[in-house]
Amino acid sequence: MSIAGQPPPTAPLTCEAMPIGLLRYGLWGGRTRRRDLPLPGELKPSYDVVIIGGGGHGLATAYHLAKHWGVRNVCVLDRGYLGGGNTARNTAVIRSNYITPESVRFYKEGVELFTRFSNDLGYNIMYSQRGQLTLAHSDASLRTFRLRAEVNKHLGVRSEMVDRQQIREIVPCLNMADDVRYPILGGLWHRDGGTARHDAVAWAYAARAAEMGVELHQRTEVTGIRRDKGKATGVETTRGAIACGHVVQAVAGMSSRLADMAGFRLPIRSFPLQAMVTQPLKPFLDPLVSSAALHAYVSQTGRGELVIGGGSDPYELYSTRSTLELKESLIAHTLEMFPFLAEVKMLRQWAGITDMTPDYSPIMGESPLKNYWLDAGWGTWGFKATPVSGKYMAETVATERAPAMLRPFRLDRFATYDLANEMGATAASH
Amino acid sequence: MKIMPCPLNGPRNISEFSCFGEVTEMPEPATADDTTWAEHVWYANNMAGVVREWWCHVPTSYWFIAERNTVTDEILRTYPAGEVFKERVEFAPKDTSA
Ligand SMILES: Cc1cc2nc3c(=O)[nH]c(=O)nc-3n(C[C@H](O)[C@H](O)[C@H](O)COP(=O)(O)OP(=O)(O)OC[C@H]3O[C@@H](n4cnc5c(N)ncnc54)[C@H](O)[C@@H]3O)c2cc1C
């Protein structure tokens, strides 16, 4: 394959010719860079669909609208940059070992879409299915793990209870001592658990959607929602107003703010979630390890860094400032699991604003405003659902109705107290 | 550590406190319809800006009100709940049989 713009070599590139050919190539100025995304142009006065939020969810929805529903007159608006929100801030845990059958079915399809993602989109997202081990330190946890394992198996998700001996075999370096604050009693072993390169997911969707005509406009903030007779008719942005047939909001921590512009409230509270990575170490940890009682979970990346995450901040906030307290608690709890990491240095740390719902399940589908669709309430666990939510959100917009798969996650469930409670299956596992 | 000025205990580490959300008015349980009650239980204003919230100093079980900016993470003012609630709040449903 030739590199675009390279002059044809005059002589075959032999060993001798190589340095000269290389020199010529290096000095020749006419190379064109390969662009994943076309340069952004002006905003059009109207689109069929405007998607607010250029994170994984918004872009996946755009991709599926163009690819499977032939809806290509679509634009995705982001006030910052492509995938600069929680999509590039998460700890990339992908799993389906939830507790309610509705969630398990949904997240199971999410995992399946991730296993095919790199091939389907022709973009390497470095998906790596290594299994996730969740630790129980109390009888109560063991009981819910048993229930989760059975619900999971029934629906074709690979989860099983493991005892202390099996845990030793799965993660030989884990501290199994009894003289710690929370001794390990057993675990939930989820073979389908894994990780992926999170920002590559956003880039892949953006690149493939753009090839089909979807426009991505970065640094374009939505400042208002135009409405007429209970129906969304357009959006106002920092670059002018746009008319449209449908609006999708996929703005994570800013969900309540956008809903406010659209004239309604949500059962959502925004909390910072912090995470960190250590300096790279030789590979020693294959599966993902998580403990709700210790408010910490750990995985090792391909380059050897340990990714460490935990529970949310203790009070609501729209600022991504980090705190020492949270880092200290993450480190203390990680050291209870892996004491030999005590001398390891922290490399980076950050936070994202997460949109938490009362039942730790998302809100997808209809909103009180007609033609205004919600993809919100993804809190601390929505990365793993990026492909599956994009698929079904696109169907929702194209057919103007949320499909059966999304019904359990409708906004209306709160009015009827018909919650999809995943708190226990989400806390500190993400 | 971030400091919370407690109206009873003075400045203390914020880890000694729990936040219990925005100060809102409770609808009358006996007469509120299901939708109103569901809104009260589940929904939130989730404001970006200055909010007025219930906080509790856990070791002393002291409840008070704090005004806080949710964008800048600044605590602007804290005061006893008595500054807002001048009369006793009855949580029991009102007797409507009479
Ligand atoms: C530290 C951390 C760890 C996490 N770990 C995991 C995990 O291990 N596994 C998992 O599944 N999930 C995890 N999550 C959750 C996951 O990251 C999110 O649920 C998911 O990425 C949300 O994707 P999104 O596309 O909806 O939002 P985002 O990627 O946040 O995109 C929303 C976009 O909307 C834009 N926006 C906001 N307001 C406006 C406006 N007015 N106009 C235009 N654009 C606007 C923002 O700039 C942003 O780019 C974690 C989150 C955090 C913060």
Side-chain angles (χ1 to χ4, degrees):
Chain A
M1 237 167 73
S2 77
I3 297 160
Q6 187 188 1
T10 46
L13 288 176
T14 62
C15 273
E16 274 158 26
M18 189 60 186
I20 298 162
L22 205 59
L23 195 66
R24 268 190 60 194
Y25 177 68
L27 295 176
W28 191 69
R31 286 189 306 279
T32 50
R33 293 230 171 90
R34 194 178 75 93
R35 292 195 67 93
D36 263 349
L37 291 171
L39 282 170
E42 290 302 307
L43 288 172
K44 288 196 286 193
S46 90
Y47 295 88
D48 292 341
V49 181
V50 167
I51 297 174
I52 312 168
H57 280 250
L59 293 162
T61 304
Y63 167 83
H64 282 282
L65 271 172
K67 173 107 183 157
H68 299 296
W69 299 94
V71 183
R72 298 182 171 196
N73 184 20
V74 175
C75 84
V76 180
L77 308 176
D78 199 290
R79 67 172 180 172
Y81 55 94
L82 162 63
N86 290 354
T87 297
R89 292 165 194 264
N90 64 69
T91 46
V93 176
I94 299 164
R95 64 186 180 92
S96 54
N97 57 352
Y98 284 79
I99 198 164
T100 66
E102 297 84 349
S103 303
V104 176
R105 254 182 232 115
F106 177 76
Y107 292 106
K108 177 178 181 248
E109 186 170 348
V111 170
E112 284 161 7
L113 290 175
F114 260 110
T115 59
R116 307 203 313 251
F117 191 112
S118 295
N119 284 332
D120 283 355
L121 278 93
Y123 205 110
N124 187 5
I125 58 156
M126 300 165 83
Y127 177 66
S128 150
Q129 195 172 72
R130 297 181 267 155
Q132 186 203 34
L133 176 68
T134 312
L135 303 171
H137 309 260
S138 70
D139 287 338
S141 298
L142 285 176
R143 273 197 299 279
T144 58
F145 282 10
R146 223 164 263 138
L147 179 60
R148 277 166 74 182
E150 293 312 313
V151 173
N152 288 186
K153 277 189 259 181
H154 180 67
L155 294 167
V157 166
R158 293 183 296 170
S159 291
E160 58 186 293
M161 292 291 296
V162 286
D163 61 21
R164 284 170 55 89
Q165 184 50 37
Q166 289 167 300
I167 290 176
R168 278 196 189 92
E169 284 158 18
I170 296 168
V171 188
C173 56
L174 193 62
N175 180 16
M176 298 298 290
D178 286 326
D179 59 348
V180 290
R181 175 68 184 84
Y182 295 109
I184 295 165
L185 304 182
L188 184 66
W189 174 230
H190 177 43
R191 272 176 210 279
D192 298 333
T195 64
R197 172 83 194 255
H198 49 201
D199 28 22
V201 171
W203 301 336
Y205 279 130
R208 298 300 168 251
E211 283 165 10
M212 295 182 284
V214 170
E215 291 177 20
L216 168 65
H217 293 279
Q218 306 178 60
R219 303 189 64 172
T220 308
E221 179 168 357
V222 172
T223 52
I225 308 295
R226 296 208 159 169
R227 299 171 265 167
D228 186 31
K229 301 188 189 77
K231 205 167 141 180
T233 58
V235 299
E236 281 152 26
T237 79
T238 44
R239 292 169 60 202
I242 315 172
C244 63
H246 293 271
V247 182
V248 178
Q249 79 156 69
V251 293
M254 299 307 282
S255 291
S256 301
R257 304 316 339 132
L258 262 295
D260 190 52
M261 292 178 205
F264 57 91
R265 298 203 307 159
L266 288 172
I268 285 178
R269 293 171 173 82
S270 294
F271 290 86
L273 180 67
Q274 305 185 40
M276 57 183 238
V277 297
T278 67
Q279 64 186 120
L281 305 168
K282 282 182 183 169
F284 70 91
L285 185 62
D286 187 33
L288 292 71
V289 179
S290 150
S291 162
L294 293 174
H295 304 289
Y297 58 97
V298 185
S299 69
Q300 191 170 23
T301 70
R303 12 165 220 254
E305 297 164 348
L306 294 179
V307 178
I308 304 176
S312 301
D313 271 26
Y315 53 89
E316 288 164 44
L317 202 65
Y318 281 97
S319 157
T320 51
R321 58 95 182 98
S322 295
T323 61
L324 182 61
E325 300 97 276
L326 204 114
K327 297 295 145 33
E328 282 177 338
S329 115
L330 274 185
I331 290 166
H333 290 128
T334 302
L335 289 184
E336 183 161 326
M337 292 190 268
F338 304 104
F340 56 89
L341 295 177
E343 301 298 318
V344 171
K345 296 207 167 25
M346 183 165 88
L347 202 64
R348 295 190 301 277
Q349 49 96 35
W350 66 92
I353 304 300
T354 61
D355 40 338
M356 301 298 287
T357 56
D359 59 358
Y360 286 62
S361 282
I363 298 170
M364 284 184 281
E366 285 88 359
S367 79
L369 187 61
K370 214 172 164 311
N371 293 358
Y372 190 91
W373 308 96
L374 292 171
D375 180 42
W378 281 108
T380 61
W381 59 87
F383 171 65
K384 66 179 72 60
T386 306
V388 68
S389 84
K391 175 182 162 181
Y392 287 109
M393 282 306 298
E395 180 175 346
T396 302
V397 176
T399 62
E400 301 190 13
R401 189 168 185 277
M405 186 65 121
L406 300 191
R407 296 314 291 166
F409 309 117
R410 67 197 182 282
L411 174 62
D412 262 5
R413 71 179 185 273
F414 295 96
T416 52
Y417 298 87
D418 197 6
L419 272 55
N421 191 355
E422 290 295 347
M423 185 171 183
T426 301
S429 292
H430 302 302
Chain B
M1 177 80 67
K2 196 173 177 64
I3 300 295
M4 168 64 91
C6 175
L8 182 68
N9 302 286
R12 308 288 308 172
N13 284 345
I14 201 159
S15 61
E16 293 180 11
F17 298 82
S18 276
C19 177
F20 287 85
E22 215 182 327
V23 178
T24 56
E25 208 166 313
M26 184 177 73
E28 174 52 43
T31 52
D33 60 28
D34 284 355
T35 320
T36 311
W37 194 252
E39 280 250 343
H40 175 63
V41 174
W42 305 121
Y43 281 62
N45 291 323
N46 200 17
M47 294 291 293
V50 177
V51 292
R52 206 170 53 147
E53 293 172 322
W54 284 110
W55 282 73
C56 177
H57 181 248
V58 178
T60 56
S61 203
Y62 175 73
W63 289 72
F64 60 95
I65 294 174
E67 284 174 13
R68 190 170 69 81
N69 188 320
T70 60
V71 177
T72 59
D73 195 20
E74 280 168 308
I75 297 158
L76 306 170
R77 201 160 88 84
T78 59
Y79 44 91
E83 274 191 32
V84 176
F85 297 90
K86 302 281 182 206
E87 284 160 39
R88 190 185 154 76
V89 179
E90 282 305 333
F91 290 100
K94 288 200 183 86
D95 185 5
T96 48
S97 61

